[in-house]
Amino acid sequence: MDDSNSRKFQKELNGGLVGLVLLAVLNQSSEDLYGYEIAKRLASANEGVSVFKEGTIYPVLRALSAGNLLTSRIVPSYSGPPRRYYRITDEGRSVLAEWTAIWAGTRNFVDRFIDKGQSP
Amino acid sequence: MNRSAPRSIDQYLRQLREELAGEDAALIQDALYDAEEYLRAEVAAHPDKSESDVLELIASTYGAPDEVASAYRDTEAKVKAAMTTPRKAPGSAAGIFFGVFLDPRAYTSLFFMLLSLATGVIYFTFAVTGLALSAGLAVLVIGIPFFLLFMALTRVVSLAEGRLIEAMTGERMPRRPIHQSGTSGFWSRVGEMLKDRRTWSTLAYLILMLPLGIAYFVIAVVGLSLSLAFTFTPLIYLSDHYGWFDPGNLHIGPAWLESLWALPFMMLTGILLLTLVMHVARGVGRLHAMYAKALLVAPAGV
C-alpha cells in the first residue's frame, strides 16, 4: 500500500521533470546523444538507479523534438535499429533557462514548508 | 502483473505491443522501435550475460511493458493536446460551409493534391524500376543484395511519405522507420520480409500513387481554374465595360452572360465553387491519410 502510494507520487512528480532533466543533460553534453546513452547517464549519476524508468524518457524525447526544443539525426547501429541522436536547439536552451528558474522557485517554495516540520 | 516477465527481446516487444493494442498504429511502431533500440543496446552492453539475464533486470531500469505503454499513451495525449489548436465551432450552416477557408488543413491538402502528381511519378518510377530490376537480377549474384537495397529504400520512402502526409493532413504517421525484429538468420529475414503484408502494401501504395496523383492533380487544377475564372471574369468584364483598362478582345461565353445583371451571379457561382473545391481538398486529404495509413503502417496488434 505504502509502496504504491510512493510510486504514484513519484510518477506524478516525474511528469514535468523528465523534460527538464533531458534538456539539462543534452545542454551539458558536448556531443549528440541517443536514447540509451541518455538513460545510462541518468542512471550513472544516481549510483546506477535512475529515478525515472528509462522507458519513459523516449516518448518525452520525441515530444521535445516535436516541439523544436531538440533536433535529431539517425545513425545506423550494429546492435539494433538505427539510433536517433538528439541535440538541444537554441529554443531548447531558452526553454531550459525558463524551466530551471521555475524549478528553483518551486523547490524553494516546497522546501520552506518541509524544512519547518522536520529539521534535519 | 498478470503474466510472466519477458525473458527475451522478442517477448518483451510482443508484450509491449499487446499493452498498446488499440492505440494508434503509428504510436505503436514508434514505441516498439524505441524499446528495441534500448533493449538491443542493453544486451550488447553486457556481453557476459545472457539475453534472459539482461531482460530480468529490464523491468527495474527500462520499465515493464505496461509501464512503458502508459508512458507513451500519456505523452502522446499531452503532445496531441498541445499541438492541435482548439477551433471554435462555427455556429451557422454558412459558417460551417465557408469556415473551410479558415482551416489550414484545406490549404495544405490542396497543396498535397497538386504535389501528388510529382511524388506519384517519382514513386511509380522508383517502385516499378526496383521491382523490374529485382526480378531481372534475381538469377544473378547481385540480385539479392539489390533487392534488399530496394526494400531498405522503400522503407525510407514510406517514412518520408508518412511525414509529408502528417504535415499536410495532420494524421498521425510513424516518426520511425519500420525495423524488422528477430535475430534469426539472413535467409529467414529475407523470407519474413517477403511474407510481410506491409512490404507488398507499401509497394502497391507507391505504384497506385501515380494514377491517384494524376486524379488529385486534375481535380485540383480544374477545380481551381474553373472557380477562379468564374470569380474574377466579372471584374475583368466590368473593367472592360467601363474602360478602366483594356483586356483585349473579351468574350464571356453565351451572349446572355454578357449583361451586367448576370455578372454578380457569375461571381457568386465562382465563390461557391471555390468553397466547394476547398471542401473537396480537405476531404481528399482525410481520405488519403486513412488510405495511406492502411497501406504504409503496420496494422495494430499483428
Side-chain angles (χ1 to χ4, degrees):
Chain A
M1 195 61 215
D2 255 352
D3 191 38
S4 85
N5 261 343
S6 0
R7 244 186 303 148
K8 185 159 173 268
F9 179 62
Q10 179 77 60
K11 197 183 157 202
E12 278 167 6
L13 267 185
N14 289 352
L17 288 178
V18 179
L20 173 60
V21 171
L22 291 178
L23 283 180
V25 168
L26 284 164
N27 191 37
Q28 281 164 15
S29 164
S30 53
E31 69 233 25
D32 299 0
L33 299 175
Y34 62 96
Y36 181 75
E37 234 175 347
I38 298 172
K40 287 303 146 198
R41 281 195 184 203
L42 295 184
S44 69
N46 196 25
E47 282 105 36
V49 186
S50 181
V51 174
F52 316 126
K53 282 290 157 61
E54 292 167 28
T56 61
I57 70 170
Y58 283 85
V60 178
L61 279 172
R62 286 199 285 113
L64 292 173
S65 188
N68 291 328
L69 305 183
L70 303 177
T71 59
S72 66
R73 64 194 166 87
I74 295 181
V75 175
S77 139
Y78 289 110
S79 63
R83 289 166 179 164
R84 188 170 282 261
Y85 281 78
Y86 290 95
R87 176 203 297 259
I88 192 166
T89 62
D90 289 338
E91 205 181 331
R93 283 200 187 86
S94 62
V95 167
L96 173 63
E98 285 167 29
W99 288 5
T100 309
I102 294 173
W103 165 241
T106 312
R107 194 184 45 204
N108 286 341
F109 176 76
V110 173
D111 282 351
R112 210 168 289 164
F113 297 98
I114 290 174
D115 287 349
K116 247 180 208 164
Q118 32 178 294
S119 51
Chain B
M1 287 296 265
N2 51 359
R3 68 171 103 220
S4 59
R7 303 298 302 219
S8 73
I9 292 178
D10 285 344
Q11 268 177 28
Y12 186 94
L13 294 177
R14 207 172 313 128
Q15 288 191 11
L16 181 57
R17 193 192 278 276
E18 281 164 20
E19 290 291 343
L20 285 168
E23 291 297 318
D24 193 299
L27 173 112
I28 297 177
Q29 185 170 321
D30 285 353
L32 291 176
Y33 185 99
D34 292 340
E36 187 169 8
E37 181 205 291
Y38 183 94
L39 297 178
R40 294 222 181 274
E42 183 79 358
V43 170
H46 298 97
D48 48 321
K49 288 190 199 159
S50 72
E51 191 174 311
S52 64
D53 286 346
V54 173
L55 262 291
E56 228 179 285
L57 300 172
I58 282 299
S60 61
T61 54
Y62 190 71
D66 55 328
E67 287 174 286
V68 174
S70 78
Y72 276 86
R73 265 195 293 268
D74 295 350
T75 311
E76 183 77 3
K78 264 183 241 158
V79 171
K80 206 176 235 169
M83 302 254 274
T84 46
T85 40
R87 268 194 300 152
K88 52 177 197 281
S92 60
I96 293 170
F97 185 63
F98 288 107
V100 71
F101 283 108
L102 294 177
D103 187 356
R105 294 277 171 246
Y107 294 94
T108 51
S109 294
L110 194 61
F111 179 71
F112 177 78
M113 288 174 79
L114 292 171
L115 190 70
S116 61
L117 179 63
T119 55
V121 170
I122 295 169
Y123 294 160
F124 183 85
T125 315
F126 168 76
V128 169
T129 312
L131 274 178
L133 278 178
S134 297
L137 295 176
V139 291
L140 301 179
V141 180
I142 59 165
I144 296 291
F146 179 85
F147 177 69
L148 292 181
L149 180 72
F150 172 56
M151 280 294 121
L153 280 175
T154 305
R155 289 176 180 191
V156 174
V157 170
S158 157
L159 178 72
E161 173 73 4
R163 306 308 307 144
L164 178 71
I165 287 175
E166 184 168 339
M168 295 295 161
T169 67
E171 178 73 26
R172 170 78 157 86
M173 295 294 278
R175 286 156 200 171
R176 297 279 189 283
I178 299 161
H179 180 76
Q180 207 163 14
S181 58
T183 42
S184 41
F186 173 78
W187 286 109
S188 64
R189 282 184 74 151
V190 174
E192 229 169 81
M193 199 193 274
L194 286 174
K195 271 187 281 176
D196 190 353
R197 187 191 75 93
R198 199 173 29 188
T199 305
W200 305 108
S201 63
T202 302
L203 285 174
Y205 177 90
L206 296 181
I207 290 171
L208 286 176
M209 199 57 204
L210 180 62
L212 273 180
I214 292 173
Y216 292 164
F217 184 83
V218 169
I219 293 172
V221 166
V222 170
L224 273 182
S225 44
L226 211 61
S227 51
L228 290 177
F230 265 89
T231 310
F232 292 109
T233 305
L235 293 181
I236 297 170
Y237 182 79
L238 275 184
S239 65
D240 179 49
H241 188 79
Y242 291 107
W244 294 330
F245 80 95
D246 184 14
N249 202 2
L250 184 78
H251 289 289
I252 314 174
W256 59 267
L257 262 178
E258 284 200 44
S259 53
L260 280 178
W261 64 264
L263 294 180
F265 291 102
M266 197 165 171
M267 203 165 183
L268 193 68
T269 312
I271 291 171
L272 287 179
L273 214 55
L274 188 63
T275 319
L276 205 64
V277 169
M278 298 301 278
H279 275 287
V280 167
R282 194 164 60 172
V284 164
R286 281 183 193 151
L287 283 178
H288 187 87
M290 281 160 59
Y291 156 77
K293 202 156 193 176
L295 289 190
L296 295 181
V297 185
V302 173

